[in-house]
Amino acid sequence: MTALLPNDFPPGPIREAYDTCLDLESRATTVSPPRTGPSVLICARFLGYMIREAPFTSGCKDLAQEVTSYKDDATLCSIAKLYIEVLVHCFKATKCRTPASSHHTPRSPSNEFKQDMIHLLKEAPRNHQTAKKMALDRDGYRCMISGKFDSASYIQLPSVQAAFEADDGSEFASTKAAHIIPEPISSRISWVHKGSDKRHHASSIWAVLNGCDSLSEELSGPGIHRLENIMTMDLSMHDWFSSLQIWLETTEVPNSYMPKSRYPALIRKFPAIITFTSTDNRLPLPSPRYIGIHAACARVVHLSGAGKYIDGVFRDLEEMRMLATDGTSGDVLSLALSRTSISMN
C-alpha cells in the first residue's frame, strides 16, 4: 500500500476530487470504519489512484464529478467498494474459473492447414478455440511473457520440436489463450442487475480507464476473442496476469514492454524488456491500449492496497465453511455469489 502522491493537478474539478481523496486518506484512522468491505484508508487511496491512473482526461473528469458530488465519508467508501467489486468480478474472479487449458491437437503444417489459416485471417476469431489456434501460430507456439513452448504443440509439430532444440535453455508448458481484458466485459458485466448501482459502476470503470464507454462495445460478444485481446500464456503466467499479480508497462519502443509485479520474485527470471513479434503480419499483435488498461487496473489495485484486501477475501472464501451470524461475512458472501454468476455465464 502506497500513500497518495501530492496533488499536482491544475485547478479544476479533478484537483478538487483528488483533494477529497487526500482529505479522506488523512482522516482514515478517525473515520468510523464500514462494517464490511475495504478499510477507509484503502477506499481513499483506491479512488485517488483511479483518478491518477485514468489515462484519458474525459474518463478522469467523470470520476472526479462522481467523487465531488458526494461529501459524506460513508458514500465515498461505498463508491470505492463498488469499483473494487467490479475489478474483482472482471479480473480477480477469472482465476476462480477453470477454462480448459489448451491441450489441443495441432496439425502438422499442410496445404489444408494453410488454407484454414488463410480463411481465418479474413476475419476476427469468433470463438476461444479459434483465437487460441491463431494466437499460437502468431506467437511461435510460445508463451509471450515466459517464452515457454506450448507442450501440446511440441509433441505434435516437428517444427516446434526443432525450434525448441535450437533454443538452448528453453522450457515447455501447457498454455492458454489469455484475454487481456477478461471475458466478463463481453456480456456487459451480465452478473449485474440492470439499472443497479453496480451496473453503473461496471460500465463507468471502463469509461474512466478507456476515456469513453466504447470498450464493452468493442469487446462484446465474439469481439472479446479478437487477436488484439489475446496472448498465449503458460498456466502460471495466465493465473498471475489475470489476477493482476503481474502486468506490462509500455515503453517508447512499439510492442516492447517492461514486466512488473506486486511480487518481484515472480518476474526475476524475465528480461527487463519483452518485445512482441508476429510470425505473420496478418496476425495482429496484442493491443497496447488493452495492455495499458490492464496495467492501470493492476497499479490501482496494487498501490491502493485493494489487492491484499481482495486476496484476504479469497482466502476467507476458501477456508470458511459457515458464514458469521453477525453479518461480518458479507464480503465473502458477495464474492461467492459473483463466482457462481460468472461460472454460469
Side-chain angles (χ1 to χ4, degrees), residues 104-164:
H104 60 294
T105 305
R107 289 176 289 172
S108 299
S110 63
N111 289 334
E112 180 186 356
F113 178 76
K114 292 177 181 177
Q115 289 300 318
D116 286 349
M117 288 303 298
I118 290 172
H119 172 72
L120 291 173
L121 287 170
K122 292 180 180 179
E123 60 181 22
R126 304 296 294 177
N127 55 61
H128 190 268
Q129 188 60 33
T130 301
K132 169 65 178 178
K133 182 189 297 184
M134 296 175 71
L136 270 173
D137 184 72
R138 178 196 66 189
D139 303 335
Y141 300 93
R142 306 180 74 159
C143 171
M144 297 190 78
I145 298 180
S146 70
K148 293 181 180 180
F149 282 89
D150 176 64
S151 55
S153 300
Y154 173 83
I155 292 171
Q156 295 292 328
L157 300 178
S159 61
V160 177
Q161 295 170 12
F164 178 84

Side-chain angles (χ1 to χ4, degrees), residues 6 10 63 76 80 94 96 99 106 126 183 190 208 231 233 313:
L63 176 60
L76 287 174
T94 61
C96 298
R126 304 296 294 177
E183 286 191 80
S190 60
V208 169
M231 296 173 61
M233 292 188 190
V313 176

Side-chain angles (χ1 to χ4, degrees), residues 35 70 97 145 199 217 220 246 256 285 329 338:
R35 188 178 185 186
Y70 300 104
R97 299 184 302 163
I145 298 180
R199 174 170 285 276
E217 294 286 348
S220 65
I246 66 170
S256 292
L285 289 168
S329 301
S338 76

Side-chain angles (χ1 to χ4, degrees), residues 207-251:
V208 169
L209 294 170
N210 191 45
C212 59
D213 196 22
S214 66
L215 187 66
S216 58
E217 294 286 348
E218 190 174 321
L219 297 177
S220 65
I224 196 71
H225 303 304
R226 61 192 301 168
L227 282 182
E228 293 90 338
N229 191 43
I230 295 290
M231 296 173 61
T232 300
M233 292 188 190
D234 68 57
L235 302 190
S236 293
M237 200 58 54
H238 176 270
D239 186 27
W240 298 335
F241 187 86
S242 65
S243 60
L244 303 176
Q245 305 287 359
I246 66 170
W247 62 95
L248 299 172
E249 301 278 3
T250 57
T251 68

Side-chain angles (χ1 to χ4, degrees), residues 15 21 34 54 58 82 128 141 176 200-201 225 310 320 340:
R15 183 180 183 88
C21 298
S58 57
L82 285 171
H128 190 268
Y141 300 93
K176 291 182 179 179
H200 164 69
H201 287 80
H225 303 304
I310 295 169
M320 188 177 297
T340 301

